C-alpha cells in the first residue's frame, strides 16, 4: 500500500476505539524512512519510522488509512477570513516559513532545538511560539491556513454571533458516525457569502430562482476547491457536506435577515409589487391589527 505526504493513519484497539491518528510528514523511499506526527496527542512530536513497518501494519489491519481529514475545514478562501485572522496567520507563517523547508533536519529533536534557538536569538520571539506554530503547521496538513487562530470570539449583545460550537439540533451523522461531521459554524465570512449569493441569484428580478438553485450556485462560486474536466465541461469539486454550510443554514439566514416585503420587491420589482402584492400585505396587516384590537377589547371586558 503506497504512502503519500499528508496520509492519515489510524490505530484502533480490539474494540475499534481510536487510539491514535498520525499524519505522514516526510518520506524517503530509498532509505525506507518516514516521519509522522500524532494529530490527536497534544504533546505529539515528529517521529522517524520505517516505511516497510507502516506498510506491514496496513496489510495486517492494525493500522488503516483515514479518508476524512478533520483539518480540511481550514481549506477556505481568503474572503471567508477576517482581517485579524489573516494577519495572525501571516505573522505565524513569517516565523516558520524558512525553517519548515529544512527537511528532514527540522524533524530531529536535537537539530530542531538548535534551529529554533538560532531563530529566537535572531528575532527575539519566544521559543514556545515556534514550537506551537510548527505543530499547527504539521498537524494541519503542512498548509499555511493551518496557522489560522483556533477559535473565534463571540459577538456582543445585539450583534451577530460567531459561536465556538455549532448551534441547533446536531446532525444524525455526527451522533452515530463521527462527531466531526456535525457541520460548520456560520461566521461573518459565511454570512457575507450568503448575502452575495442571495443578491446575485435569489433576488434577481423576474428570475424567481429557488433557494436550492441559489445554494448550488453559491457552492460552485464560493466553496469549490478545484475542478475536473469531463469532456467539454469543467465540473466543480465541492468539499464534503459537513465542511460547507448547509441549505438549511442558508434558508435560516434568508428568514432572519430578509423581510417578506424586501424579498417581493427585489424579486418582482417595485411596480409589480405595488400592483399585485402590496394590497395583500396591507390586508394581512389590517387583519392582524383587527385581531389584536379585538383581543385587547376582550381583555377589558373580562376584567370588568
Amino acid at each position: 500500500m503506497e504512502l503519500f505526504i499528508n496520509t492519515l493513519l489510524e490505530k484502533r484497539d480490539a474494540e475499534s476505539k481510536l487510539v491514535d491518528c498520525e499524519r505522514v510528514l516526510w518520506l524517503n523511499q530509498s532509505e525506507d524512512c518516514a516521519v509522522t506526527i500524532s494529530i490527536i496527542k497534544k504533546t505529539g512530536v515528529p517521529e522517524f519510522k520505517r516505511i516497510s513497518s507502516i506498510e506491514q501494519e496496513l496489510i495486517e489491519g492494525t493500522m488503516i488509512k483515514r479518508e476524512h481529514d478533520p483539518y480540511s475545514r481550514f481549506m477556505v478562501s481568503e474572503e471567508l477570513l477576517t482581517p485579524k485572522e489573516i494577519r495572525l496567520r501571516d505573522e505565524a507563517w513569517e516565523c516558520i516559513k524558512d525553517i519548515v523547508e529544512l527537511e528532514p533536519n527540522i524533524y530531529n529533536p536535537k537539530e530542531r532545538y538548535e534551529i529554533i534557538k538560532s531563530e529566537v536569538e535572531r528575532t527575539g520571539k519566544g521559543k514556545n511560539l515556534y514550537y506551537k506554530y510548527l505543530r499547527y503547521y504539521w498537524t494541519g496538513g503542512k498548509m499555511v491556513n493551518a496557522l489560522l487562530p483556533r477559535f473565534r470570539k463571540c459577538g456582543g449583545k445585539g450583534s451577530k454571533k460567531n459561536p465556538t460550537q455549532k448551534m441547533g439540533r446536531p446532525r444524525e451523522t455526527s451522533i452515530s458516525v463521527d462527531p466531526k461531521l456535525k457541520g460548520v459554524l456560520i461566521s461573518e465570512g459565511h454570512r457575507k457569502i450568503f448575502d452575495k449569493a442571495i443578491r446575485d441569484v435569489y433576488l434577481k428580478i423576474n428570475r424567481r430562482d429557488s433557494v436550492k438553485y441559489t445554494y448550488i450556485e453559491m457552492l460552485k462560486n464560493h466553496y469549490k476547491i478545484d475542478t475536473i474536466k469531463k469532456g467539454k465541461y469543467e465540473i466543480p469539486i465541492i468539499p464534503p457536506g459537513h465542511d460547507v454550510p448547509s441549505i438549511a443554514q442558508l434558508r435560516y439566514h434568508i428568514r432572519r435577515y430578509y423581510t417578506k416585503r424586501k424579498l417581493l420587491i427585489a424579486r418582482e420589482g417595485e411596480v409589480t409589487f405595488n400592483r399585485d402584492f402590496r394590497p395583500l400585505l396591507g390586508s394581512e396587516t389590517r387583519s392582524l391589527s383587527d385581531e389584536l384590537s379585538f383581543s385587547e377589547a376582550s381583555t377589558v371586558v373580562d376584567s370588568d
Side-chain angles (χ1 to χ4, degrees), residues 289-304:
S289 298
D290 292 340
E291 289 175 11
L292 289 173
S293 300
F294 177 77
S295 176
E296 290 170 0
S298 301
T299 303
V300 173
V301 170
D302 292 339
S303 63
D304 291 336

Side-chain angles (χ1 to χ4, degrees), residues 24-195:
V24 177
L25 297 178
W26 183 78
L27 294 167
N28 188 325
Q29 297 286 350
S30 62
E31 296 186 11
D32 191 28
C33 184
V35 175
T36 66
I37 187 172
S38 173
I39 68 170
I40 292 178
K41 298 175 182 177
K42 292 183 179 180
T43 57
V45 293
E47 296 181 23
F48 285 86
K49 298 185 176 183
R50 296 280 184 191
I51 295 176
S52 54
S53 297
I54 295 174
E55 291 175 340
Q56 186 61 34
E57 287 191 76
L58 289 170
I59 293 172
E60 294 173 353
T62 55
M63 180 184 286
I64 61 172
K65 289 184 178 180
R66 179 174 181 152
E67 294 185 5
H68 172 64
D69 190 335
Y71 286 91
S72 62
R73 65 183 183 275
F74 290 109
M75 295 174 61
V76 295
S77 60
E78 292 290 299
E79 58 190 285
L80 274 174
L81 304 175
T82 66
K84 182 178 180 180
E85 287 173 324
I86 294 173
R87 176 177 59 79
L88 293 174
R89 179 202 63 187
D90 292 348
E91 288 175 358
W93 177 238
E94 191 64 30
C95 281
I96 66 170
K97 68 178 183 179
D98 294 324
I99 63 177
V100 294
E101 301 295 330
L102 304 176
E103 298 177 304
N105 307 66
I106 191 66
Y107 300 127
N108 181 292
K110 291 184 178 179
E111 293 191 57
R112 181 165 61 252
Y113 172 79
E114 293 298 329
I115 292 170
I116 291 177
K117 181 181 177 182
S118 176
E119 287 297 303
V120 168
E121 292 173 353
R122 183 179 67 84
T123 65
K125 297 181 183 295
K127 67 176 182 179
N128 289 338
L129 206 61
Y130 285 91
Y131 282 110
K132 181 179 77 170
Y133 290 157
L134 285 173
R135 176 162 174 75
Y136 279 5
Y137 180 72
W138 288 332
T139 58
K142 300 175 74 173
M143 56 182 177
V144 177
N145 269 10
L147 298 169
L148 286 168
R150 290 299 197 263
F151 63 91
R152 294 173 182 231
K153 292 184 178 179
C154 296
K157 184 178 180 180
S159 65
K160 296 177 182 177
K161 306 293 191 289
N162 292 316
T164 56
Q165 296 185 40
K166 188 172 182 292
M167 308 301 287
R169 181 181 178 182
R171 299 181 183 183
E172 290 299 321
T173 51
S174 71
I175 300 172
S176 59
V177 181
D178 188 344
K180 296 181 179 65
L181 306 183
K182 60 185 178 182
V184 301
L185 302 175
I186 298 301
S187 65
E188 186 60 27
H190 289 296
R191 284 191 283 264
K192 287 179 180 177
I193 288 180
F194 284 176
D195 288 332

